[in-house]
Amino acid sequence: MATPPSLCIEKLKKALDSAEIGQHPVEVHGALVGLICGGVDQANLKWLKPLVELMNDGQALPNDLQQLISDLFKDTATRLGDAEFGFSPLLPEEEEPLSKRLECLALWVQSYLTAIALIQPKLNGASSDVREIIQDLGAIAQVEFDVSDDDESEAAFIELHEFVRMAAVLCYSEFGPEIPLDDSEPTAPLH
């Protein structure tokens, strides 16, 4: 069973605070996802350098924090590559006030956009769908936090959350690693 977002956020927050890194856990996850969706080299921790540049001005991370982030990276990369779309942005659970969840979504999107732009400098050459999604994400990153906790606002948040989730999946499908074809069935030669 997956770790609930609140526990993952709290554990990451404690590790960030202990290392005196002023990032919110959702920002770290947004940056991780942006790097992965931008096509960062996932082999041999090559993804760690751009992440550390973004979150700690290039300064090395304490071992326990680096391990926690490595585990989060592996889990996130696996979820993004999952055909069942098991990926979701790491955000506070619905028990938290809507204004806090919306603020965290905006922080997540800001970090995501920064990271994907860092690793994928050719965003202007992306497909029209991805360029449009990047523009829409830019608007979400600037969303206002003054919302009421009512059903209509909650429904709007759920739509935004789903849009962000699917935007990441689309960017991953365009820039992420090539997914190998299933070689389990032999192919007949073409004549």
Side-chain angles (χ1 to χ4, degrees), residues 109-126:
V109 171
Q110 289 166 11
S111 292
Y112 174 85
L113 289 173
T114 301
I116 198 169
L118 174 73
I119 205 71
Q120 189 50 251
K122 297 178 183 174
L123 279 176
N124 290 338

Side-chain angles (χ1 to χ4, degrees), residues 29-30 32-39 76 79-81 85 87-90 108-109 112-113 116 130 133-134 137 160-176:
H29 190 252
L32 276 175
V33 176
L35 293 173
I36 295 167
C37 290
T76 302
R79 289 177 184 274
L80 277 163
F85 301 114
F87 166 76
S88 186
L90 180 63
W108 190 96
V109 171
Y112 174 85
L113 289 173
I116 198 169
V130 167
I133 279 177
I134 296 295
L137 288 173
L160 278 178
H161 181 268
E162 182 62 14
F163 177 83
V164 169
R165 186 181 83 76
M166 290 309 297
V169 169
L170 179 66
C171 289
Y172 180 78
S173 69
E174 182 149 336
F175 300 123

Side-chain angles (χ1 to χ4, degrees), residues 127-146:
S127 69
S128 61
D129 287 343
V130 167
R131 287 193 317 267
E132 184 178 335
I133 279 177
I134 296 295
Q135 286 179 338
D136 292 343
L137 288 173
I140 291 171
Q142 298 174 26
V143 72
E144 296 292 322
F145 307 131
D146 187 22

Side-chain angles (χ1 to χ4, degrees), residues 45 47-48 52 60-72:
L45 296 176
W47 57 268
L48 189 58
V52 170
L61 302 175
N63 288 338
D64 60 331
L65 178 58
Q66 182 173 322
Q67 184 60 52
L68 186 60
I69 290 173
S70 291
D71 293 345
L72 185 59

